[in-house]
């Protein structure tokens, strides 16, 4: 960052409700000392309200805290006793209820206590920033603005930054840089208009969808089936999203639009439907009370019948012809088919897209600076695969514009507002594009507007790109069918995998070995970084069988592991994390593609690949140049083992790392068990590695999946020296800097460990005695016991006297042997086959 004069050493959040508490949680995730204020509790414990909110953070799913221990870093405070503490805060964020009068009263109360340089920001989701600013003395207004986080703050990428008329320009720049690098956010500068950018478009789209759903007499579940993943939006679609947001909150937002946008051409849409008001009146407010548009009864999902006002089983079906239509590879063909079809479901989809495109075109100049800001706001804030203008451009700008005009003329559109002149000007141009490599269209100037030139964005070597923007990933050093080694003009070589989910087969292993040799000869360091997440879903033993590669490696799209490109796959990803055992078991079974291995009876080839994997891991550890793993998203199994063997890992906070092979009846055999044994030995006191080793054993035996990079440090997958990056698009920049720093320091590989003390047979016996108790208590099966015993045997160094000294090869041989022994058992094979068939783990 160019100017270090603005540093956030301490922050405060005013309001310990749903948003305020979670904003405080994310601030401490970023290691920022944070005060959390709330109204005082009882006389005996004035901070009771805040303490209750912080305790709730520890139990929430998805977890607002990167690790539960961070909760102790939130300092409770109340307005009666602790306002003096605000003077030491560099940033104060107000996050109380969306009431203009309440917010202004609070501002009047806290203004005298703010420090001379304190920045004060409101987390309002749509109230006027200029009207809020009037509550401050004029001398303070230059330090006031809006910072609108999206819920949940840890996971949602978008933050809208909204200035008031008097906001200091340099302050806004500093604040943007802070939000990007230190909190990991995608910042959009919004204008002070009702609901700003993302909510203005997202809520309009929701209201238009509700309107057309009713016009076509579709049930709520059918509307959701049509408006979720089928069209590139989150699975929560329309009405499930409403339940998650809260039906009372949704009604408040709708009423705000009704009251503050009286001249909006689509104003008739801005009315709370009767069914929605009815649910609110009976307290069916959505997910927070377990009843709203949807209700779970026993193990079945029921949905409200709008006419009968009773719940029925949710069982909507999308028309098969429509499904086939939506699979057209060409967006232009897809939209032409939607527009021309007489099938009601197709007509419904055309209607909601038409209204969306029309509304965005008419309102763009009022609410955003350019088409890029609008599209990214919707993508980052609502989890769409593409923004409205991206979809329009992909479908054919001129053709869509003409169809919209025809519908306006025919009275099919709710609004008769004409398309702005700039829309037709682009339609008649040669480009027919609002997004190009040069930038995105800005209606105020009528020209293309480049991305922000703030220094912070120089750290994003390959930012989140839009349709029309090309990404050129450097100069190729060499490329195979499995990997590509490249550079960006410096002396750091970057290795990227080309396999699906970046799984690691024999061809990838060969590529990694070739890359290490090339980097040792001609480059100063090697960084492993993928152009898209995940880092790696792990080993792929299918290559060892030499069987043809299936068309779909991981089954259907609905069951495939998420790519973790926030926030697009956010909802499905969190659902998998809540069922982490099942998710990891299914993932491992599929990533290894062990059905082919077992059917082919090619266990010798598998053992050869395991040995090749171990050799590659060791080459990463002992190469003559520093190796850095740049991790974003999943790093499972073999992917985790690569991370553990690099000299340094740089991981985004939202990295999900684990050795999860036990889930399908196997154990880590790419050096993972060996690494934990070595780390336990290195940290041993009095030469006894067992106290540390038993913790690592539990991590492996329970297939623990770290749900953040910070938790990966707690579990031992990452080392304390490894770096956690908050912004995923800064990952490569930081990884290269770490690699260069190691090189500049005169890097030499670590000396090979030749005398590693083992826990030996005493350690094995101690673990097995605990396993016996678990087995006799019915907590684990006989086969669970066998798997855990194999893990203990390997990690404790085998049947040796405690303290015996061995080398790394000893552990690697134990890994290989135990892996192959488990793979040959009928019960492990049954677990693998059952998981592949059913998608569920088998306990046998």
């Amino acid at each position: 960052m160019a100017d270090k004069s603005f540093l956030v050493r301490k922050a405060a959040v005013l309001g310990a409700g749903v948003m305020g508490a979670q904003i405080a949680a994310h601030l401490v995730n970023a290691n920022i000392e944070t005060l959390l204020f709330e109204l005082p509790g009882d006389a005996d414990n004035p901070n009771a309200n805040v303490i209750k909110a912080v305790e709730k953070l520890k139990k929430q799913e998805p977890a607002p805290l990167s690790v539960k221990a961070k909760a102790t870093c939130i300092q409770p405070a109340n307005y009666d006793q602790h306002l003096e503490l605000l003077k030491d805060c560099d940033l104060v964020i107000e996050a109380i209820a969306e009431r203009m009068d309440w917010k202004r009263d609070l501002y009047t109360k806290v203004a005298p206590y703010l420090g001379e340089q304190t920045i004060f920001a409101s987390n309002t989701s749509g109230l006027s920033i200029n009207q809020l600013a009037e509550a401050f003395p004029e001398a303070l207004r230059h330090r006031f603005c809006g910072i609108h986080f999206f819920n949940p703050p840890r996971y949602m990428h978008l933050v809208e930054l909204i200035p008031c008329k008097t906001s200091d320009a340099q302050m806004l720049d500093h604040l943007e840089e802070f939000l990007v690098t230190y909190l990991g956010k995608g910042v959009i500068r919004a204008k002070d208009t009702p609901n700003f950018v993302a909510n203005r478009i997202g809520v309009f789209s929701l209201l238009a969808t509700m309107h057309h759903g009713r016009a076509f007499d579709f049930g709520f579940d059918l509307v959701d089936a049509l408006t979720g993943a089928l069209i590139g939006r989150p699975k929560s679609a329309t009405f499930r999203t409403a339940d998650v947001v809260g039906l009372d909150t949704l009604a408040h937002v709708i009423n705000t639009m009704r009251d503050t946008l009286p001249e909006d051409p689509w104003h008739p849409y801005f009315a709370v439907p009767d069914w929605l008001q009815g649910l609110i009146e009976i307290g069916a407010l959505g997910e927070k009370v377990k009843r709203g548009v949807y209700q779970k009864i026993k193990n079945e999902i029921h949905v409200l019948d709008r006419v009968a006002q009773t719940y029925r089983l949710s069982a909507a079906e999308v028309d098969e012809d429509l499904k086939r239509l939506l699979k057209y590879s060409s967006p232009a063909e897809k939209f032409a088919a939607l527009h021309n079809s007489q099938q009601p479901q197709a007509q419904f989809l055309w209607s909601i897209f038409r209204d969306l495109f029309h509304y965005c075109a008419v309102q763009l100049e009022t609410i955003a600076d350019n088409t890029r800001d609008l599209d990214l706001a919707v993508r980052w804030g609502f989890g769409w695969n593409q923004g409205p203008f991206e979809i329009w451009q992909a479908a054919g700008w001129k053709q869509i514009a003409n169809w919209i005009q025809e519908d306006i003329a025919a009275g099919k559109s709710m609004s008769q507002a004409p398309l702005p002149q700039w829309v037709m000007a682009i339609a008649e141009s040669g480009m027919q594009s609002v997004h190009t490599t040069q930038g995105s269209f800005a209606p105020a100037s009528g020209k293309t507007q480049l991305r922000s030139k703030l220094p912070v964005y120089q750290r994003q070597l390959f930012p989140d790109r839009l349709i029309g923007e090309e990404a050129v990933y450097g100069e190729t050093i060499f490329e195979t069918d499995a990997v590509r080694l490249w550079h960006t003009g410096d002396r750091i070589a970057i290795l990227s995998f080309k396999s699906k989910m970046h799984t690691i087969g024999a061809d990838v292993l060969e590529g990694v070995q070739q890359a290490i040799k090339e980097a040792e000869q001609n480059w100063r360091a090697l960084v492993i970084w993928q152009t898209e997440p995940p880092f790696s879903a792990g080993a792929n033993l299918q290559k060892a069988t030499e069987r043809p590669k299936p068309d779909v490696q991981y089954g259907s799209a609905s069951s495939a592991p998420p790519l973790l490109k926030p926030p697009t796959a956010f909802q499905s990803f969190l659902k998998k994390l809540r069922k982490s055992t099942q998710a990891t078991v299914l993932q491992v079974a599929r990533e290894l593609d062990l059905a082919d291995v077992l059917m082919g009876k090619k266990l010798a080839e598998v053992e050869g690949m395991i040995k090749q994997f171990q050799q590659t891991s060791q080459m990463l550890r002992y190469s003559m140049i520093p190796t850095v793993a740049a991790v974003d998203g999943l790093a499972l199994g073999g992917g985790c083992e690569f991370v553990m063997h690099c000299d340094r890992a740089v991981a985004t906070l939202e990295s999900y790392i684990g050795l999860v092979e036990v889930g399908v009846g196997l154990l880590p055999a790419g050096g993972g068990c060996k690494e934990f044994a070595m780390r336990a030995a290195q940290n041993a006191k009095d030469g006894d590695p067992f106290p540390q080793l038993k913790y690592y054993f539990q991590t492996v035996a329970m297939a623990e999946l770290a749900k953040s990079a910070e938790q990966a440090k707690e579990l031992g997958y990452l080392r304390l020296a490894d770096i956690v990056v908050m912004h995923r698009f800064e990952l490569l920049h930081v990884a290269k800097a770490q690699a260069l720093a190691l090189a500049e320091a005169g890097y030499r590989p670590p000396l090979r460990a030749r005398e590693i003390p083992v826990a030996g047979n005493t350690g094995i016996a101690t673990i097995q005695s605990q396993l016996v108790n678990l087995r006799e208590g019915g907590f684990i099966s006989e086969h669970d016991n066998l798997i855990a015993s194999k893990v203990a045997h390997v990690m404790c160094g085998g049947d040796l006297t405690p303290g015996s000294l061995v080398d790394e090869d000893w552990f690697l041989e134990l890994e290989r042997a135990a892996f192959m022994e488990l793979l040959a058992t009928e019960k492990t094979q049954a677990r693998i086959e059952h998981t592949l068939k059913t998608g569920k783990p088998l306990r046998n």
Side-chain angles (χ1 to χ4, degrees):
M1 299 184 53
D3 187 347
K4 290 293 184 183
S5 61
F6 174 68
L7 296 173
V8 179
R9 294 179 174 85
K10 180 183 287 190
V13 179
L14 309 183
V18 172
M19 284 298 292
Q22 291 196 61
I23 291 170
H26 196 56
L27 288 167
V28 297
N29 286 342
N31 292 332
I32 295 165
E33 188 178 347
T34 302
L35 297 161
L36 180 59
F37 279 79
E38 188 49 273
L39 294 170
D42 55 49
D44 292 335
N45 188 359
N47 287 332
N49 292 330
V50 178
I51 292 170
K52 182 179 179 181
V54 172
E55 286 301 310
K56 187 177 179 181
L57 290 173
K58 299 178 186 178
K59 302 172 184 176
Q60 281 181 259
E61 287 292 341
L65 295 158
S66 59
V67 289
K68 288 184 180 180
K70 287 284 180 92
T72 61
C73 301
I74 300 175
Q75 181 179 344
N78 66 78
Y79 299 118
D80 285 358
Q81 297 177 308
H82 302 120
L83 289 180
E84 286 283 353
L85 299 176
L86 293 176
K87 70 178 185 300
D88 296 324
C89 294
D90 302 292
L91 174 65
V92 176
I93 300 174
E94 170 270 307
I96 68 171
E98 287 290 275
R99 285 274 301 268
M100 179 70 73
D101 54 342
W102 291 359
K103 290 178 185 287
R104 289 171 62 119
D105 287 347
L106 179 61
Y107 297 178
T108 302
K109 184 175 184 177
V110 303
Y113 298 94
L114 300 178
E116 293 183 2
Q117 301 300 320
T118 301
I119 294 175
F120 192 98
S122 174
N123 182 58
T124 177
S125 60
L127 297 178
S128 170
I129 299 301
N130 282 295
Q131 290 182 37
L132 289 171
E134 292 171 0
F136 281 105
E138 190 170 344
L140 298 181
R141 293 177 191 172
H142 68 288
R143 290 188 272 128
F144 176 72
C145 65
I147 299 179
H148 179 213
F149 289 83
F150 275 65
N151 190 26
R154 170 184 163 185
Y155 299 94
M156 299 307 286
H157 192 56
L158 178 64
V159 168
E160 292 173 317
L161 184 60
I162 314 102
C164 64
K165 294 176 182 177
T166 54
S167 296
D168 181 79
Q170 189 177 43
M171 174 204 74
L172 293 170
D173 288 349
H174 289 330
L175 201 50
E176 183 167 351
E177 294 188 336
F178 166 76
L179 291 166
V180 171
T181 289
Y182 294 103
L183 297 190
K185 297 304 175 185
V187 175
I188 296 296
R189 298 277 185 113
K191 298 182 180 181
D192 187 21
T193 55
N195 291 341
F196 312 130
V197 181
N199 275 344
R200 180 74 171 272
I201 300 304
V203 174
F204 169 81
S205 178
L206 187 146
L207 291 172
T209 301
M210 289 181 177
H211 169 83
H212 289 294
R214 185 159 191 167
F216 281 89
D217 197 27
F218 289 169
F220 297 137
D221 51 344
L222 178 55
V223 170
D224 276 358
L226 290 166
T227 58
L230 196 67
I231 59 171
R233 299 180 187 178
K235 288 182 178 179
S236 56
T238 301
F239 294 104
R240 288 185 187 276
T241 296
D243 272 353
V244 171
V245 168
L247 300 185
D248 52 341
T249 302
L250 174 62
H252 174 77
V253 172
I254 295 172
N255 287 330
T256 298
M257 294 180 74
R258 179 198 64 202
D259 296 340
T260 58
L261 296 167
E263 304 301 322
D264 192 297
W266 283 265
H267 193 266
Y269 279 2
F270 306 159
V272 177
D274 293 342
W275 62 264
L276 177 56
Q277 188 61 44
L279 287 173
I280 294 171
E281 289 173 358
I282 63 173
L285 304 180
E287 191 172 277
K288 56 189 171 185
V289 297
K290 307 302 181 186
R291 184 185 176 201
V293 178
Y294 291 91
Q295 182 179 16
K296 190 172 183 180
I297 301 176
K298 295 183 179 179
N299 292 322
E300 295 178 331
I301 302 297
H302 288 66
V303 63
L304 181 71
D305 185 296
R306 185 175 57 244
V307 177
Q309 289 296 297
T310 58
Y311 287 88
R312 59 168 174 79
L313 189 65
S314 177
E317 292 291 337
V318 176
D319 182 81
E320 291 299 324
D321 288 339
L322 179 62
K323 288 182 182 178
R324 285 191 289 271
L325 181 160
L326 292 174
K327 290 180 180 178
Y328 289 172
S329 58
S330 165
E333 292 180 4
K334 186 183 304 181
F335 271 86
L338 284 177
H339 176 264
N340 297 329
S341 174
Q342 297 304 307
Q343 205 276 339
Q345 294 182 13
Q347 291 179 336
F348 164 77
L349 286 181
W350 163 249
S351 297
I352 66 171
F353 275 113
R354 177 203 62 218
D355 281 7
L356 174 66
F357 298 152
H358 190 184
Y359 192 79
C360 289
V362 170
Q363 301 295 351
L364 174 62
E365 187 169 0
T366 303
I367 65 175
D369 290 334
N370 54 63
T371 54
R372 174 180 54 250
D373 286 355
L374 187 147
D375 276 349
L376 289 178
V378 174
R379 276 171 44 180
W380 294 344
F382 281 82
W384 294 11
N385 288 349
Q386 289 184 304
F389 289 123
E390 287 185 287
I391 300 169
W392 186 347
Q393 179 171 317
W397 189 271
K398 182 175 183 179
Q399 184 62 80
I400 295 291
N402 288 338
W403 286 336
I404 294 173
Q405 286 188 317
E406 290 172 4
D407 280 7
I408 294 171
K412 295 181 179 180
S413 175
M414 170 69 76
S415 170
Q416 295 299 300
L419 286 173
Q421 290 185 349
W422 64 263
V423 171
M424 299 315 298
I426 289 174
E428 299 302 328
S429 71
M431 293 291 293
Q432 293 196 44
S433 302
V434 293
H435 299 302
T436 67
T437 301
Q438 289 71 41
S440 297
F441 180 79
S445 65
K447 298 178 181 178
T448 293
Q449 185 173 328
L450 299 175
R451 286 179 177 264
S452 171
K453 294 296 185 182
L454 284 178
V456 69
Y457 292 112
Q458 296 175 15
R459 297 165 59 87
Q460 297 184 22
L461 305 183
F462 302 98
D464 202 356
R465 63 184 186 276
L466 297 146
I467 186 174
E469 291 184 311
E470 296 179 4
V472 180
Y473 292 102
E475 297 284 337
T476 299
I477 300 171
F478 76 79
E479 187 169 9
T480 70
D481 289 341
V483 304
R484 177 174 179 254
L485 188 69
W486 52 286
H487 68 94
T488 58
D490 49 27
R491 297 293 306 282
I492 308 297
I494 303 165
L495 181 66
S496 301
F497 302 168
K498 296 165 66 176
S499 53
K500 182 143 185 175
M501 295 293 288
H502 306 131
T503 51
I504 305 166
D507 52 355
V508 171
L509 294 173
E510 291 169 4
V512 174
Q513 292 188 12
Q514 184 180 347
I516 294 170
K517 294 172 183 176
E518 165 66 27
E520 286 180 328
Q521 293 179 1
N522 300 307
W523 304 87
R524 300 198 67 189
L526 176 67
V527 173
I528 303 177
W529 176 81
Q530 315 299 359
T531 57
E532 295 287 345
F535 177 79
S536 175
N540 178 7
L541 296 185
Q542 182 184 6
K543 290 288 184 180
T545 70
E546 299 180 358
R547 286 176 172 264
K549 188 174 182 179
D551 292 333
V552 182
Q553 189 171 356
Y554 297 100
S556 66
S558 62
S559 62
L563 291 179
L564 303 186
K565 184 177 181 181
T568 302
F570 175 67
Q571 293 295 338
S572 60
F573 165 65
L574 292 177
K575 183 177 180 181
K576 287 183 181 296
L577 281 189
R578 285 192 289 269
K579 299 178 179 178
S580 59
T581 301
Q582 177 178 330
T584 53
V585 166
L586 177 59
Q587 169 61 34
V588 173
R590 284 175 170 160
E591 79 188 24
L592 299 179
D593 207 359
L594 290 172
D596 276 356
V597 173
L598 300 175
M599 289 167 58
K601 309 289 185 187
K602 296 188 176 182
L603 297 182
E605 286 90 335
V606 176
E607 186 171 11
M609 182 178 162
I610 293 297
K611 190 169 185 178
Q612 183 188 18
F613 204 118
Q614 293 177 337
Q615 290 171 344
T616 307
S617 296
Q618 292 295 86
M619 286 180 68
L620 285 169
R621 166 57 48 81
Y622 295 111
S623 68
M624 297 303 295
I625 42 92
T627 56
V628 176
V631 184
D632 184 27
L634 295 173
L636 300 182
C640 176
E641 287 171 308
F642 270 8
V643 173
M644 296 174 75
H645 281 82
C646 285
D647 294 300
R648 185 79 79 246
V650 178
T652 61
L653 183 70
E654 300 311 323
S655 293
Y656 306 90
I657 304 172
L659 297 174
V660 293
E661 290 86 347
V662 166
V664 284
L666 296 168
L667 55 69
C673 292
K674 178 266 300 181
E675 273 300 295
F676 272 144
M678 287 180 59
R679 292 179 186 187
Q682 290 166 357
N683 296 324
K685 294 181 179 179
D686 301 322
D688 181 10
F690 187 73
Q692 183 67 39
L693 189 68
K694 65 182 180 181
Y695 177 76
Y696 290 148
F697 163 79
Q698 179 177 312
T699 297
V700 175
M702 295 184 64
E704 291 272 13
L705 176 66
K707 298 177 184 178
S708 73
E710 293 286 359
Q711 190 182 15
K713 287 189 175 185
E714 284 189 346
L715 293 173
Y717 296 130
L718 297 181
R719 294 152 296 198
L720 293 178
D722 290 332
I723 307 298
V724 178
V725 174
M726 298 299 288
H727 201 295
R728 62 178 297 255
F729 291 105
E730 293 185 353
L731 175 63
L732 181 58
H733 168 83
V734 177
K736 290 178 67 178
Q738 288 291 310
L740 184 60
L742 290 170
E744 288 289 330
Y747 175 82
R748 293 289 299 178
L751 295 173
R752 292 180 182 271
R754 304 190 185 281
E755 295 186 347
I756 306 168
V758 301
N761 48 27
T762 301
I764 296 171
T766 302
I767 292 173
Q768 286 183 330
S769 66
Q770 296 171 348
L771 293 174
V772 168
N773 294 333
L774 291 171
R775 188 176 73 248
E776 291 181 349
F779 296 103
I780 63 174
S781 69
E782 183 179 344
H783 196 55
D784 291 330
N785 179 73
L786 174 65
I787 298 164
S789 296
K790 291 290 185 185
V791 174
H793 181 82
V794 173
M795 294 182 70
C796 291
D799 189 15
L800 298 177
T801 303
S804 297
L805 302 178
V806 301
D807 61 12
E808 292 180 67
D809 288 340
W810 176 267
F811 284 104
L812 293 175
E813 290 173 7
L814 291 176
E815 280 186 357
R816 287 198 308 275
F819 184 96
M820 298 310 299
E821 288 166 9
L822 287 172
L823 184 56
T825 64
E826 291 183 3
K827 288 192 174 182
T828 284
Q829 294 175 21
R831 288 189 177 196
I832 294 165
E833 292 172 1
H834 180 271
T835 302
L836 288 170
K837 288 178 181 178
T838 68
K840 298 178 181 180
L842 174 66
R843 296 297 301 279
N844 56 2

